[in-house]
Amino acid sequence: MAGERRRRGGEGLRERTRERGARREREQQRGPGRGRTALLVTAAAAALALGLAAAAAEWNRWSAAARLVTPHPAPPALPPGSTGPLASPGRFWGTYRPHVYFGMKTRSPRALVTGLMWLQQGEGGGSLRHTCEQGDGLSRYGWVMHDGENFGVQEIRDGDLLLKTEFVKRPGGEHGGDWSWRVTARMEGKGSPAPLLSLFFYVATDGQGTLEPHLENKTRLAAVTGTSEELGDFTLTFLRPMVESGEDPKYASYNYLDAASPGLHRLTEVVRSSLSNRFVFAPRGKSRRRFFAVDAFRGLPGAAGEPPRGRLLLHQVTLEPPGTVEVTFESGSVADRPGRLAGGALSAALARHTAAFEQRFEETFGLGRKGFPPPQRRFAQAALSDMLGGMGYFHGRSLVQSPLQERPVPAPEAALFTAVPSRSFFPRGFLWDEGFHQLLLARWDPALSREVIAHWLDLMNAEGWIPREQILGEEARAKVPPEFLLQHSETANPPTLLLALQQLLPDAPLPYLQRLFPRLRAWYDWYNRTQAGPLPLTFRWRGRDPNPERFLNPKTLASGLDDYPRASHPSPEERHLDLRCWMALASRVLGEVAERLGEPAGPYREMERALSDNGLLEQLHWAQELGAFADYGNHSSAVGLRWQRLAPAAPGRPPPAPQLVREVRETPQPRFVGALGYVSLFPLLLQLLRPDSPRLPAVLATMRSERQLWTPFGLRSLARDSPLYMQRNTEHDPPYWRGPIWVNINYLALRALRGYAGADGPQRERAAEIYRELRHNLVANLYRQYTESGFLWEQYSDSTGRGQGCHPFAGWSALVVLVMAEDY
């Protein structure tokens, strides 16, 4: 048989050879042109295929770019018109300009704005105060009472000058009602005569609306009448100053300014450039003094030929403190007004609102019942009030970019009503901060919190992405360095809004949840699609710093923990523990919302169970050599920064400055990241660990170890024995999340410890003990630092407890109120 196969195979081979020879003969008879034609056809087909591939790639880029700036197609979470004066009159006007020391505006795209500036007169003119600046060196400013809607009281200390700014709103009409201000000034310390003080009250339009000044004696701006799209007709009246008791008139000099506005973000420049010292303060029977006052505005340098954006009218009052000035705003649509809200009527309204605020605060947080003395209760009231008084309404376009685009593009116009982390340094919306803010505000005013969450979800694009930082409008952009304006579409942020939503769920109206759910679902899907890790049920933050040689450890801004140590060499193989825990929380909350609405909850509950599986969690993230949970990635533990001298300079040129660059002294390899700190705690922080978990004792021991995370002031962010503890990331980047104490994570730790202390398990008593100590340490230190410095701070030193970073920081540091109330 084998011989027969060989014979038949030989005959077949000869037959195929004869066929190939005949084919070659026929092709030669056709001539050489036919062969070239075939080649041309083949080449054309290949070119067409390449062209189609290029066209497809270009289409994909165009489609991605279009979706980047296309709003999500679901109905808006916030019903159209719901923030206007008819649907929400109580919140139409507010102190929604957090970046200025005192000002009000409406929740409108092109709002009428009002504000205060002041100037302590001195040689050379002194310093004009307007926008909140750390460089101003004020020893205190902040709201001591603010209910988020009707009234507020703020105290400002600028050297020896003490200012109190108060406002009260009175409902009525169809445009948000009336409001009144009272500004009281006095000097602390000795010396007579007191330095002169100028108060500048202004009103400005932003692209729409009209203003008409009404003068007395050609120098005093007594009133402004005007009209705008959403306010209708209105009158703003500047009352004459009174002595501090408010009973007798106070001598003052008056000046006013009427100027074309180059934009709200440049109002300080307009006023400063208009000042002249040709004016004289001349009270009868007292010495005459020269002072600076607004004179004529001749335009800003470099702005010649630019069309005006609006109009600015400013009323300057110069007086010798003490003194009080009141301003009233009266809506033209208010009928049967009981009288002007000024003088005794304003004092009575302030007294009523103060009493109501204090009663509501105690009913909400119960600090008096818990035994806190009045000074600590006032501290807590100020923390809440500063967050409420720091809420802002923003309108504009984000600058966004996709990895498939060469250049950034503006996103669609959007509006955002949000709290802000810091009035001086971060007066804008931050996605992961906002979830923590709303944990507190949801306790004070659930309806307010629901509205803020809806505003954020309405920023979502067609892909389900929400930019992590919202820089909307010229006033917001003016406070941001250019390199931080751009938002990258692959960059996420922790979905902390779900922490607040989970708290709101039991009492949230079903129609509200129905409006939210399509966007929540799209957001959840976006995380799963874009932040997936290398293995099933793992996750990886995108957008780490792309130039690792510049950093001791490339930052992970998406995580919110910025410079917290991750794998030394970013790669697609990373597994980020904190993101996995956030996705477990997201699955849990989406499941709860779906069940409330009668929607299919199975997929969310299945993912929650998988991500909460303690065995799988240990397999993917337990680092035996650390005795802790950890990230995984391409990592070297032997890295450092060293000075590197550059090539010699050209002849006659100064030598280039040396640069601090990263030095890797050990080849990186796939391993667990040897950084013990906040990230290591996430399975506990979000309560994924079972109460009987064999890993819980080690996590609790890490928390309580003074060699690692425990301090007398709170939990530090990175263990003292970690390689990168308090290490700079670059020449210009001091340690940020590498040791200092952060209140938001300490709050999550207390929340979790309280949960473990109340659950059946072998660590119940240990968790309760650590909870009591940590709560005492955190509250005592924040209160002590507040009384000494006058501020809540961004972070606190793990060695001294002193506040550091930016201030005031009545963002998540205000969570101390919930810690005091033991409300988690």
Side-chain angles (χ1 to χ4, degrees):
M1 291 292 293
E4 179 67 15
R5 283 197 298 270
R6 282 195 299 270
R7 184 179 63 80
R8 291 181 180 176
E11 290 176 354
L13 178 61
R14 286 192 292 272
E15 182 65 26
R16 287 194 296 274
T17 302
R18 283 195 297 271
E19 288 178 3
R20 281 198 296 270
R23 191 163 56 247
R24 279 197 301 269
E25 213 173 299
R26 289 193 297 270
E27 288 174 356
Q28 288 168 1
Q29 290 170 356
R30 290 179 187 142
R34 297 293 182 89
R36 282 197 298 272
T37 302
L39 287 172
L40 288 172
V41 169
T42 303
L48 179 61
L50 290 172
L52 289 173
E58 186 62 29
W59 167 261
N60 288 336
R61 280 195 293 272
W62 181 87
S63 177
R67 290 178 66 79
L68 176 67
V69 296
T70 300
H72 194 272
L78 199 68
S82 60
T83 62
L86 292 176
S88 184
R91 292 204 177 97
F92 187 56
W93 274 104
T95 50
Y96 303 143
R97 305 181 67 209
H99 64 294
V100 300
Y101 289 113
F102 186 45
M104 290 176 65
K105 65 179 284 189
T106 58
R107 297 201 298 182
S108 310
R110 295 182 305 280
L112 183 81
V113 303
T114 59
L116 170 71
M117 306 181 195
W118 73 90
L119 175 67
Q120 294 189 67
Q121 298 283 345
E123 294 295 329
S127 297
L128 182 67
R129 310 296 196 201
H130 179 214
T131 57
C132 302
E133 306 290 345
Q134 290 198 150
D136 286 349
L138 271 62
S139 55
R140 165 158 179 77
Y141 65 94
W143 295 96
V144 294
M145 290 188 185
H146 198 303
D147 67 357
E149 186 168 338
N150 299 305
F151 100 116
V153 179
Q154 179 180 217
E155 294 178 356
I156 300 171
R157 181 186 291 270
D158 184 6
D160 291 332
L161 172 66
L162 301 180
L163 285 177
K164 178 187 284 188
T165 66
E166 303 168 279
F167 80 92
V168 169
K169 289 159 57 180
R170 184 167 63 184
E174 298 177 350
H175 301 89
D178 298 344
W179 53 258
S180 294
W181 291 359
R182 176 180 287 167
V183 177
T184 304
R186 61 184 177 88
M187 300 298 296
E188 190 176 73
K190 299 176 182 177
S192 184
L196 294 180
L197 171 69
S198 290
L199 300 171
F200 304 82
F201 299 90
Y202 67 84
V203 57
T205 57
D206 184 25
Q208 65 93 17
T210 62
L211 300 174
E212 185 66 34
H214 299 267
L215 300 178
E216 289 181 358
N217 302 322
K218 299 183 179 180
T219 60
R220 192 179 101 79
L221 183 61
V224 174
T225 55
T227 185
S228 74
E229 292 174 5
E230 292 194 281
L231 286 173
D233 297 331
F234 59 85
T235 301
L236 195 65
T237 304
F238 303 105
L239 303 178
R240 290 181 177 272
M242 309 291 285
V243 297
E244 193 173 3
S245 65
E247 297 175 356
D248 299 311
K250 176 85 179 178
Y251 176 82
S253 290
Y254 302 102
N255 302 81
Y256 89 99
L257 180 67
D258 183 348
S261 167
L264 299 180
H265 61 301
R266 307 195 73 180
L267 295 183
T268 308
E269 296 174 72
V270 170
V271 175
R272 187 181 288 121
S273 69
S274 304
L275 293 174
S276 165
N277 70 340
R278 69 181 182 85
F279 301 94
V280 177
F281 186 80
R284 183 177 299 175
K286 294 187 177 182
S287 59
R288 296 161 60 90
R289 286 185 275 177
R290 192 174 291 274
F291 69 96
F292 285 81
V294 291
D295 200 347
F297 175 59
R298 298 180 178 84
L300 296 175
E306 292 184 7
R309 310 281 188 86
R311 188 178 185 184
L312 168 69
L313 292 177
L314 180 141
H315 170 58
Q316 178 178 348
V317 182
T318 302
L319 49 77
E320 183 181 312
T324 297
V325 182
E326 294 179 356
V327 179
T328 65
F329 175 92
E330 296 177 323
S331 171
S333 64
V334 174
D336 301 322
R337 182 174 285 110
R340 176 173 283 169
L341 187 58
L346 178 55
S347 297
L350 284 166
R352 287 194 304 272
H353 283 295
T354 296
F357 174 82
E358 291 180 334
Q359 179 179 345
R360 179 180 172 187
F361 188 88
E362 178 60 24
E363 290 173 352
T364 304
F365 301 109
L367 300 191
R369 297 191 301 275
K370 284 185 168 293
F372 285 99
Q376 292 188 357
R377 297 204 298 270
R378 287 194 292 272
F379 157 64
Q381 289 176 355
L384 170 70
S385 298
D386 232 8
M387 182 182 284
L388 287 164
M391 294 198 69
Y393 183 84
F394 305 94
H395 186 272
R397 297 174 182 266
S398 290
L399 190 64
V400 296
Q401 187 170 12
S402 159
L404 300 176
Q405 291 176 290
E406 294 181 4
R407 294 182 180 84
V409 293
E413 284 194 14
L416 178 62
F417 183 47
T418 185
V420 304
S422 170
R423 291 170 61 191
S424 64
F425 212 75
F426 301 115
R428 54 192 179 275
F430 286 79
L431 180 55
W432 102 289
D433 293 65
E434 196 57 26
F436 290 108
H437 300 162
Q438 294 312 312
L439 285 170
L440 175 58
L441 296 189
R443 288 295 188 237
W444 178 253
D445 190 340
L448 171 67
S449 191
R450 290 195 298 267
E451 185 176 335
V452 170
I453 291 172
H455 264 274
W456 273 96
L457 291 176
D458 278 343
L459 297 171
M460 182 179 294
N461 76 353
E463 296 288 336
W465 173 60
I466 302 174
R468 69 182 188 89
E469 190 172 344
Q470 294 294 322
I471 308 165
L472 304 176
E474 289 180 324
E475 288 191 282
R477 280 199 298 275
K479 300 282 284 186
V480 182
E483 63 268 26
F484 294 111
L485 288 174
L486 185 58
Q487 303 298 300
H488 295 275
S489 65
E490 75 276 18
T491 303
N493 228 195
T496 55
L497 292 178
L498 299 177
L499 284 171
L501 182 60
Q502 187 178 36
Q503 182 173 291
L504 291 164
L505 264 180
D507 300 314
L510 285 181
Y512 171 76
L513 295 177
Q514 288 165 345
R515 292 195 303 272
L516 256 59
F517 191 60
R519 292 172 180 271
L520 292 172
R521 189 168 50 208
W523 199 27
Y524 179 81
D525 291 344
W526 180 85
Y527 279 99
N528 279 289
R529 188 173 64 251
T530 66
Q531 309 296 304
L535 299 175
L537 301 175
T538 64
F539 294 87
R540 175 172 66 90
W541 296 112
R542 302 306 197 266
R544 292 193 66 192
D545 277 315
N547 301 310
E549 67 278 358
R550 292 179 49 225
F551 304 95
L552 181 63
N553 189 272
K555 294 194 294 292
T556 312
L557 296 177
S559 72
L561 305 178
D562 294 16
D563 69 341
Y564 185 94
R566 307 281 180 167
S568 61
H569 291 66
S571 75
E573 301 309 309
E574 287 184 80
R575 307 198 295 257
H576 291 139
L577 171 63
D578 51 335
L579 179 51
R580 189 180 193 277
C581 296
W582 284 121
M583 292 309 297
L585 170 79
S587 302
R588 183 188 311 155
V589 176
L590 266 289
E592 291 173 3
V593 175
E595 287 168 354
R596 278 285 313 273
L597 295 175
E599 296 279 351
Y604 304 114
R605 291 303 193 185
E606 289 172 15
M607 181 64 86
E608 178 195 357
R609 283 191 293 272
L611 293 175
S612 303
D613 182 287
N614 281 206
L616 185 57
L617 178 65
E618 288 185 29
Q619 180 183 329
L620 292 168
H621 286 288
W622 180 259
Q624 192 64 41
E625 63 275 20
L626 285 176
F629 290 100
D631 285 346
Y632 184 91
N634 193 30
H635 184 64
S636 171
S637 58
V639 296
L641 295 175
R642 64 176 177 84
W643 290 102
Q644 182 185 68
R645 292 202 169 275
L646 302 180
R653 302 291 298 273
Q659 290 184 344
L660 202 59
V661 298
R662 184 169 81 161
E663 181 179 51
V664 180
R665 297 183 294 272
E666 173 194 72
T667 302
Q669 58 181 310
R671 62 169 73 162
F672 287 108
V673 178
L676 196 154
Y678 283 169
V679 165
S680 312
L681 300 181
F682 261 83
L684 176 141
L685 297 178
L686 298 184
Q687 300 177 64
L688 302 185
L689 285 182
R690 297 190 312 269
D692 62 350
S693 166
R695 303 304 184 190
L696 186 55
V699 177
L700 293 175
T702 293
M703 293 176 71
R704 189 57 186 83
S705 168
E706 295 181 10
R707 183 172 54 87
Q708 294 176 317
L709 302 184
W710 190 263
T711 81
F713 319 111
L715 298 176
R716 58 169 63 94
S717 45
L718 189 63
R720 203 165 56 177
D721 59 1
S722 285
L724 298 191
Y725 169 71
M726 293 305 291
Q727 295 293 308
R728 302 184 70 86
N729 208 38
T730 70
E731 178 185 357
H732 305 291
D733 287 346
Y736 200 46
W737 291 84
R738 296 183 181 176
I741 295 162
W742 294 80
V743 175
N744 62 329
I745 302 299
N746 276 264
Y747 169 83
L748 289 180
L750 286 163
R751 176 176 175 261
L753 288 167
R754 185 79 179 277
Y756 288 111
D760 289 333
Q763 302 304 314
R764 183 174 185 172
E765 292 184 7
R766 183 63 170 149
E769 179 185 0
I770 297 175
Y771 168 80
R772 287 190 297 269
E773 289 183 88
L774 179 58
R775 175 174 175 265
H776 173 269
N777 290 351
L778 189 71
V779 171
N781 188 62
L782 263 68
Y783 175 66
R784 181 168 56 250
Q785 298 305 316
Y786 179 83
T787 57
E788 292 177 2
S789 69
F791 297 104
L792 286 171
W793 292 77
E794 181 183 15
Q795 53 175 243
Y796 294 84
S797 167
D798 67 317
S799 57
T800 67
R802 288 180 64 86
Q804 56 190 32
C806 66
H807 67 277
F809 197 90
W812 58 43
S813 292
L815 287 171
V816 67
V817 179
L818 294 181
V819 175
M820 294 170 75
E822 297 189 278
D823 187 347
Y824 304 105

